[in-house]
Structures are given as structure tokens and as C-alpha cells.
Amino acid sequence: MHCTRNVTADLIWVGANDRRLAMFEGIYSVPNGVSYNAYLLLDDKTVLFDTVDKAVQQRLFENVTAALGGRGLDYLIVQHMEPDHTAGIVELCRRYPEMTIVCNTKTHGFLKQFFEMDIDARVQIVKEGDVLDTGRHKLQFVMAPMVHWPEVMVTYDATDQILFSADAFGCFGALNGALFADEVDFNRDYMDEARRYYTNIVGKYGVQVQALLRKASGLKIRMICPLHGFVWREKLDDILAKYAAWSTYTPEENGVMIAYASVYGNTEKAAEILACRLRDKGIKTVMFDVSVTPASEIVAAAFRWSHLVFASTTYNAGIFVTMDAVIHDIVSHNLQNRTVALIENGTWAATSGGLMRGKLEACKDMRFIEPMLTIKSSVKQEQLVEIEAMAEALVGSFGG
């Protein structure tokens, strides 16, 4: 039995939701599931935009069959070769032997790497600016390399002013019957997941996202159809503004994110005292225990907040394991332009602070609060002055 929704009169969502998936890409927790979006255009020619993950591909086939209503499938446009969007290609080729696969040269090569089938006989190669005329609709192809694979392209329907945006503008979370962002309270219920999705999936490639945004600014866009999450048909400027901030590593909010690693609670206590002193001074704070909070959430928070504090016990003469992983992730995702304060703890040889700084210095435009705070086993009364000084320095770094 099929389950579809109309995006427009002749464009149908034929994707599927997966609420049983625990870890997206094997690393990002998705407690609210994830959607795999595919869209079917019914024109003089029929066009399917991408497929879905293998876990839900049977639903795609049921949806496409129902939406076609006995018609054949003329084109499959492959915008992104990642397997969660291409698992259904071989079966679609079997079901619709006359179907043409529309892709760019880089995708063509990837198709041969993933699938053992006669690709060349059914591929139509397109490049930047090429147009596929399907009757009423004119589909223009726009290359978007490294958003977030090198072969990515997006498609612009000039007739209805719809941007099929591949993985850009996506979001974690199943759709739960809704299709459009305006059908839910997106800011309240989904913005955190949109941020976590962007920062962890695409965050490293801010320059490339900016390039796509510049191309998109030259198009009149009425609707955005991503491969994960909701379709945008209202308040497009809101999500575009978020992408402009995220891709330029501009903090969304002034405040301090404190991430700490603490074995016996002493490093945590120092972090908590600092948070209290900052709140006394009117500064927003959020805190994360890196041993229990998924790294993807901390990476997303680091993109959100203007100031970061990392507090870690020394462990095996280095940074505590989970803190080391978080900082590695933050550096790998290319975060820039933050003010950072460091707290280290060590009973006989505190080294974690200098090691954390060494890793974070790989990020561009990171400003460090001096001096770092060193704790020997536990916070002492006389160190409250040092914590107060760190709080004052953080406050002072916010400027006018």
C-alpha cells in the first residue's frame, strides 16, 4: 500500500520515513528517526528525483508505482550518489528498462563504483546550466560539489521555481505525516535537529555551501525540496539565513558553551562554578558532559554559541578520551571564529589544557582567554578568584 503526498499538483513526495534507525551513517543518533525524500514529477515525461535508503526502498517502489498510475518512468535524476539516496537504482532499472539516468560526469563514475550493471547504455550526462525539458517543466542543473560529496548537484525547476536541493537544507527527524516546514513548529521542534544535521553532515564545507548560496541567490526560488526533512514553501529567508550564518561560522547567539570531562566530579565542579559566575553576570550558558552527550550535539552547540569553554581532566597523560573525540570532531568540522577558555585538571601532571589548545589552534580565528585554569585534583577556596577572573575575561571578550 502506498503513502504519498502532493507537493504541487504534478509533483508528488514518494519517499519514506525510518523510525527504527538508531545511528544515521553509523555515527549520528536519530532518536526521532529520519526521512528519505524522493519526488516524482508527472509531466509529458515522468521524472523521479533520487531514490531512498535500502531499509525503506520497498516503500519507494510502492509509492512510485501508485503515483505513476500505469505510466512508465522516463528519467531518474541522481543528484547525490550516497547510498541512502541511491539504493533503489538497480531495481528501478529492472522495473523500468526504458528509464534514463540523468547525472553528471562525476556521478557517472561513482555509479560504476557502486553498481555492477550496464550504466553507460542508460546514462544522460549533464553539466552546469544544462536544461532537461519534460514538457511544461524546464529543469536546470546546478553543480554543488562538496555539499557534501564532490559529485553533488541540485536541480532548479524554472517553471514552478522549485529548488531540489539534494542534502542541503535538510533535517534529522521523521516527517510524521507532515511534509511542509510550515505544518509544524519548526523553530521549537526541529531547528536544533536542522543545526545538528548541517554542522555534522555539511559543516566542514562552509566555502562550498557559500558557493551554492551565491548560485541560489540568482534564482527565483518559491520552494525548496531537500532529500531529508521538510519541504520549505514559506519563510525561505529563515532557513537561508541560518545557512548563511552556519556556512560562514558566524555564531547564532552570544553566550558560553561549556563542555567538560570529569571522572570523579572535580572538573565538573569547576565548570559549574564558572557557569554560575557567568550567569551572575548576565551571560547565557549551556553545559555538556562529554561522556554522556553525543558528540554531534556538542559540535552543533559549538556552531551555535559565540564562546566555548573546554574543561578536561588529564587521563593517561593526555586529554580525557571523550573530550579528545569531541575536540577532534570540532576541528574536523572546520569551526572558526570563537573565543575559547580552557580548564585542565591533574593530580600529579596536568597536561590536558595545553593539548586541547594545541588541537584547537588548528581552527582559524580562535581567540584564547589567558590564562587557562589549572586544578590539582579539586577546586580550592583560593582558586575561586581564578574562576572569577576567567568569568570576567569571558564577559569582557563580548565587547560593547
Side-chain angles (χ1 to χ4, degrees):
M1 176 56 67
H2 68 280
C3 179
T4 63
R5 282 199 65 184
N6 276 68
V7 181
T8 65
D10 56 3
L11 180 66
I12 304 168
W13 178 85
V14 292
N17 295 287
D18 188 349
R19 297 178 184 84
R20 292 187 173 184
L21 181 67
M23 303 295 286
F24 185 78
E25 295 187 351
I27 189 170
Y28 306 117
S29 59
V30 282
N32 299 310
V34 66
S35 73
Y36 300 104
N37 299 337
Y39 306 93
L40 181 67
L41 181 65
L42 301 177
D43 201 357
D44 293 347
K45 298 291 186 179
T46 57
V47 182
L48 179 63
F49 294 87
D50 300 287
T51 75
V52 298
D53 188 79
K54 64 181 179 181
V56 293
Q57 65 179 342
Q58 185 58 37
R59 296 179 216 171
L60 170 77
F61 302 142
E62 293 169 353
N63 289 343
V64 169
T65 299
L68 284 172
R71 296 181 64 180
L73 182 59
D74 296 304
Y75 295 104
L76 168 65
I77 296 177
V78 181
Q79 300 181 112
H80 181 23
M81 258 308 300
E82 202 163 5
D84 59 331
H85 305 299
T86 56
I89 288 179
V90 172
E91 178 62 17
L92 283 171
C93 288
R94 186 191 69 79
R95 292 179 179 225
Y96 305 101
E98 303 304 315
M99 178 188 77
T100 297
I101 299 174
V102 178
C103 64
N104 59 50
T105 300
K106 180 73 72 173
T107 301
H108 185 204
F110 285 177
L111 281 164
K112 292 182 176 181
Q113 292 176 203
F114 276 100
F115 304 121
E116 294 184 9
M117 57 179 289
D118 185 5
I119 297 294
D120 294 342
R122 60 168 68 245
V123 161
Q124 177 178 330
I125 302 294
V126 295
K127 61 183 184 301
E128 182 84 28
D130 282 356
V131 175
L132 177 65
D133 189 332
T134 66
R136 189 177 80 86
H137 295 267
K138 308 295 184 287
L139 306 177
Q140 178 182 344
F141 301 103
V142 179
M143 300 301 121
M146 297 317 301
V147 186
H148 64 122
W149 276 25
E151 88 301 349
V152 173
M153 68 180 186
V154 300
T155 307
Y156 177 64
D157 178 357
T159 304
D160 283 349
Q161 300 173 345
I162 298 174
L163 181 68
F164 297 90
S165 61
D167 266 357
F169 308 108
C171 180
F172 290 135
L175 299 181
N176 301 327
L179 177 60
F180 301 98
D182 55 273
E183 292 182 303
V184 298
D185 190 331
F186 191 87
N187 284 332
R188 184 192 67 194
D189 297 332
Y190 290 94
M191 183 56 75
D192 285 348
E193 288 295 73
R195 181 187 300 105
R196 189 165 69 95
Y197 173 91
Y198 173 88
T199 55
N200 287 278
I201 303 297
V202 194
K204 181 180 179 69
Y205 304 108
V207 171
Q208 291 82 359
V209 173
Q210 280 286 299
L212 176 58
L213 289 174
R214 284 193 294 272
K215 290 180 180 180
S217 69
L219 304 172
K220 189 172 182 180
I221 300 173
R222 187 177 61 86
M223 190 179 297
I224 299 174
C225 292
L227 289 179
H228 298 288
F230 298 96
V231 172
W232 289 86
R233 62 181 179 183
E234 295 182 6
K235 299 181 179 179
L236 270 62
D237 287 347
D238 290 355
I239 193 65
L240 289 168
K242 290 293 185 184
Y243 264 64
W246 296 334
S247 62
T248 55
Y249 307 98
T250 302
E252 291 175 73
E253 294 193 56
N254 285 328
V256 181
M257 183 206 83
I258 302 174
Y260 66 88
S262 188
V263 179
Y264 298 110
N266 293 303
T267 308
E268 177 186 17
K269 183 173 289 186
E272 196 144 33
I273 293 169
L274 177 62
C276 288
R277 298 292 77 79
L278 289 167
R279 284 286 179 171
D280 285 342
K281 301 173 191 301
I283 302 299
K284 294 179 181 178
T285 58
V286 293
M287 296 185 69
F288 299 98
D289 182 339
V290 300
S291 294
V292 297
T293 305
S296 64
E297 294 185 22
I298 301 173
V299 171
F303 270 72
R304 179 177 182 176
W305 296 98
S306 60
H307 291 58
L308 313 176
V309 175
F310 298 99
S312 178
T313 187
T314 299
Y315 197 77
N316 287 332
I319 307 168
F320 190 75
V321 178
T322 48
M323 178 64 80
D324 198 19
V326 164
I327 290 178
H328 175 80
D329 256 7
I330 287 172
V331 174
S332 296
H333 286 89
N334 203 28
L335 185 65
Q336 304 170 23
N337 186 34
R338 295 296 186 275
T339 299
V340 178
L342 299 169
I343 300 173
E344 64 178 0
N345 192 354
T347 296
W348 61 91
T351 61
S352 57
L355 293 171
M356 288 191 292
R357 176 163 180 159
K359 289 176 179 287
L360 290 164
E361 283 177 339
C363 298
K364 292 174 59 177
D365 300 324
M366 300 299 253
R367 301 168 294 278
F368 291 89
I369 296 293
E370 300 288 0
M372 77 172 69
L373 174 63
T374 299
I375 302 165
K376 292 186 176 180
S377 302
S378 63
V379 180
K380 304 302 188 293
Q381 182 68 29
E382 57 269 22
Q383 287 191 295
L384 295 179
V385 175
E386 296 176 63
I387 296 176
E388 175 68 21
M390 179 173 280
E392 289 285 357
L394 284 164
V395 172
S397 69
F398 280 91

